[in-house]
Amino acid sequence: MKGLQLNSGRSLSWRTALLQYSSTVLIEQTFRDWKGPEAFKSRIAPITYIGHGTYTTYAITNLTQLYMTEGTHGSVKVAVLLTDGADHPRNPDIFSATADAKHQGIVFFTVGMTRVAEEVANAAKLRLLASVPASRFVFNLQENDVVERILKEMKDLAEEGCPQPPVCNCEKGDKGLPGPAGKKGRPGDDGASGAKGGKGEPGLNGIPGRDGTEVNEFLLEGNL
């Protein structure tokens, strides 16, 4: 996983958790415990084999819960189930548990651990448990380059989970016709009072008045 590079140029951030199961489930490493590959390897090195029966359904329900409580929103969620496909006869409905996990967005890889996984019934079971298509998500540890092939599929999932923003290569369209005229707007508010104007120029001289004698005669005549 350390060497994975996305074709888009985006950086890849990842964490790994580990569950071991038989009749019980032991969460050997949670996502929150993740401190890098070297710390992970040192943590899982002392793990001992549990033994007893194989109850794969319990492992699937536990990993689903782990993703729901510690997974990052919007991340690509992957489960790699290593099994020979042979469960205990009392193992609960495994396909219902797997369907619920897939509904939560978890992608399932199934990896057969031994030649037992290649038996017809077990091989068919691994194909049903895996995400589709089976040709992409079903493997066996006996196959050549199995790790590299699984990593390639994980890289492709990461690319698919981080799509590039679409690029529009369309040509610019023709200018549309003018729209209809809008309604007449309301009258504007009264403006502020203007400043006082300057003093005007002197006016023209008036017409000379009548002679005083003539006026008196006119008044006398009027009184008569």
Side-chain angles (χ1 to χ4, degrees):
M1 294 287 288
K2 288 190 295 184
L4 286 185
Q5 297 292 329
L6 301 184
N7 296 331
S8 62
R10 298 186 183 185
S11 59
L12 179 63
S13 176
W14 54 276
R15 298 183 298 168
T16 300
L18 179 68
L19 287 72
Q20 183 188 183
Y21 68 96
S22 60
S23 56
T24 59
V25 177
L26 296 179
I27 301 178
E28 305 287 0
Q29 159 107 17
T30 69
F31 291 118
R32 290 174 181 166
D33 292 333
W34 179 255
K35 293 181 175 60
E38 297 307 318
F40 177 75
K41 287 189 286 187
S42 66
R43 190 183 183 99
I44 67 174
I47 290 177
T48 57
Y49 175 59
I50 300 175
H52 307 295
T54 304
Y55 289 77
T56 308
T57 298
Y58 296 154
I60 294 172
T61 55
N62 272 266
L63 77 87
T64 303
Q65 182 64 24
L66 189 62
Y67 258 125
M68 294 303 99
T69 57
E70 297 189 9
T72 303
H73 178 71
S75 65
V76 178
K77 300 175 176 62
V78 176
V80 181
L81 177 62
L82 292 97
T83 179
D84 59 10
D87 288 319
H88 191 280
R90 294 183 180 179
N91 183 57
D93 185 359
I94 190 171
F95 297 109
S96 175
T98 308
D100 180 62
K102 293 175 181 176
H103 181 71
Q104 301 298 332
I106 302 173
V107 178
F108 269 82
F109 288 82
T110 56
V111 182
M113 295 181 65
T114 65
R115 291 296 181 187
V116 176
E118 296 178 346
E119 296 176 4
V120 176
N122 293 334
K125 184 176 181 180
L126 264 62
R127 287 194 297 271
L128 291 174
L129 293 176
S131 294
V132 293
S135 58
R136 182 179 181 184
F137 297 108
V138 179
F139 298 88
N140 193 293
L141 289 182
Q142 313 300 319
E143 301 170 355
N144 294 328
D145 302 326
V146 61
V147 175
E148 288 74 14
R149 291 167 55 202
I150 291 175
L151 288 178
K152 178 185 179 302
E153 294 298 341
M154 288 186 177
K155 176 182 175 181
D156 291 345
L157 284 174
E159 297 281 7
E160 295 164 9
C162 302
Q164 295 295 318
V167 178
C168 180
N169 295 320
C170 306
E171 295 181 358
K172 185 177 180 181
D174 297 331
K175 185 177 181 180
L177 298 174
K183 296 181 179 179
K184 184 178 180 180
R186 67 176 183 82
D189 298 329
D190 293 338
S193 300
K196 184 178 180 179
K199 185 177 180 179
E201 296 180 358
L204 300 175
N205 293 329
I207 301 173
R210 293 182 180 182
D211 185 77
T213 304
E214 292 180 0
V215 173
N216 290 335
E217 290 177 356
F218 170 76
L219 293 174
L220 290 173
E221 290 177 359
N223 289 333
L224 292 176

